[in-house]
């Protein structure tokens, strides 16, 4: 545990500059989205009034309806900020492995030579990604409350309508995947997400331990998993299951793959990678 905590602290210290820049970039884009959407509404409202229409809010609302914070979360700058955060963390999840394996004096040799279980190296990197994802979620929730406060203050009260923040994004928005409104969806999405991350780390470790042979084995494993999933779907079993049964079957299957990938990563670090 001591080795894990020391490595986790080390990984966090390496990540904090990148993470700080990512949070600042997301915040700046979403702040711009708020004022961009306000100016877009303001220009349209002024044009509506200049065309000689009555300036009564009731008539305007009959034609255009109320404005909500959903206008901000569907703004292209807001969507781009969420997508940037997602792909930025995906990039870093891969980068934190390869940064230690590059260079003439590879730092990975020193990490794997430390006393204690080598699995602490894997656990610290996985834990760092978990911390970055969770921290970004908390940051985004805080931003949503702040953005709603600012946006509702800019729009007239007779035109703006308060809605629960769970309704601030449509099902097709990346925000709905990053911050699902239902706990059941949150459990499903992130169980699948962390399972995919675990399997990706399995492929990375296979590559690092076997080079081109590892790439071949990782590719064969990925093809095998996809083929097994397609064959299972072709059996038609899922068509005879209720939605709740499909839900828990997906959760269970993901957990099995997660545990299998974690065990494979442990074996690769302890047995396959030599220093």
């Amino acid at each position: 545990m001591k080795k894990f905590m020391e490595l986790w602290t080390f990984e966090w210290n390496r990540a904090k500059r990148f993470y700080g820049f990512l949070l600042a970039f997301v915040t700046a884009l979403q702040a711009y989205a708020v004022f961009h959407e306000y100016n877009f509404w303001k220009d349209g409202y002024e044009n509506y009034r200049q065309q000689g229409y009555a300036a009564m809010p009731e008539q305007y609302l009959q034609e255009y309806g109320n404005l909500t914070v959903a206008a901000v979360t569907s703004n292209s700058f807001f969507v781009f900020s969420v997508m940037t955060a997602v792909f930025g963390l995906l990039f870093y999840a891969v980068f934190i492995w390869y940064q230690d394996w590059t260079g003439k004096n590879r730092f990975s040799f020193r990490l794997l030579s430390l006393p204690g279980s080598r699995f602490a190296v894997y656990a610290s990197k996985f834990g760092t990604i978990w911390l970055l994802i969770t921290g970004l979620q908390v940051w985004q929730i805080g931003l949503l409350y702040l953005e709603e406060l600012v946006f509702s203050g800019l729009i007239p009260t007779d035109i703006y309508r308060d809605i629960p923040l769970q309704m601030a994004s449509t099902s097709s928005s990346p925000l709905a995947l990053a911050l699902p409104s239902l706990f059941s969806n949150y459990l499903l999405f992130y169980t699948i997400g962390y399972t995919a991350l675990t399997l990706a780390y399995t492929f990375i470790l296979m590559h690092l331990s076997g080079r081109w042979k590892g790439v071949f084995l990782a590719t064969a494993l990925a093809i095998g998993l996809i083929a097994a999933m397609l064959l299972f779907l072709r059996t038609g079993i899922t068509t005879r299951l209720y939605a709740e049964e499909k839900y828990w079957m997906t959760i269970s299957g993901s957990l099995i793959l997660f545990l299998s990938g974690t065990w494979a990563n442990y074996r690769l670090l302890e047995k396959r990678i030599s220093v």
Side-chain angles (χ1 to χ4, degrees), residues 117-149:
S117 174
R118 290 180 175 183
F119 189 70
V121 176
Y122 169 85
S124 64
K125 293 182 183 295
F126 193 92
T128 299
I129 294 301
W130 172 84
L131 181 64
L132 298 183
I133 293 174
T134 304
L136 186 60
Q137 289 175 319
V138 175
W139 185 265
Q140 181 61 80
I141 292 173
L143 282 180
L144 281 175
Y145 279 103
L146 183 61
E147 288 157 5
E148 182 188 34
L149 180 64

Side-chain angles (χ1 to χ4, degrees), residues 157-210:
T157 56
D158 47 6
I159 292 179
Y160 184 82
R161 180 167 63 91
D162 288 319
I163 61 172
L165 287 181
Q166 295 89 333
M167 301 171 58
S169 61
T170 62
S171 58
S172 59
S173 170
L175 183 62
L177 295 176
L179 288 174
S181 58
L182 299 176
F183 177 75
S184 58
N185 289 342
Y186 181 90
L187 182 63
L188 177 65
F189 295 162
Y190 280 90
T191 299
I192 295 174
Y194 284 120
T195 298
L197 178 63
T198 301
L199 295 177
Y201 277 178
T202 303
F203 301 148
I204 290 173
L205 287 174
M206 291 176 72
H207 172 227
L208 294 176
S209 62

Side-chain angles (χ1 to χ4, degrees), residues 26-39 72 75 77-78 147:
V26 168
T27 303
L29 275 180
Q30 294 190 10
Y32 183 79
V34 171
F35 291 101
H36 180 270
E37 200 61 37
Y38 165 69
N39 288 325
V72 174
N75 183 279
F77 291 99
F78 188 97
E147 288 157 5

Side-chain angles (χ1 to χ4, degrees), residues 229-247 249-250:
M229 182 182 65
L230 293 176
L231 288 173
F232 177 77
L233 293 176
R234 285 181 63 88
T235 61
I237 294 177
T238 56
T239 61
R240 297 191 292 270
L241 297 176
Y242 292 107
E244 186 175 352
E245 293 174 329
K246 293 180 183 178
Y247 174 84
M249 185 180 69
T250 304

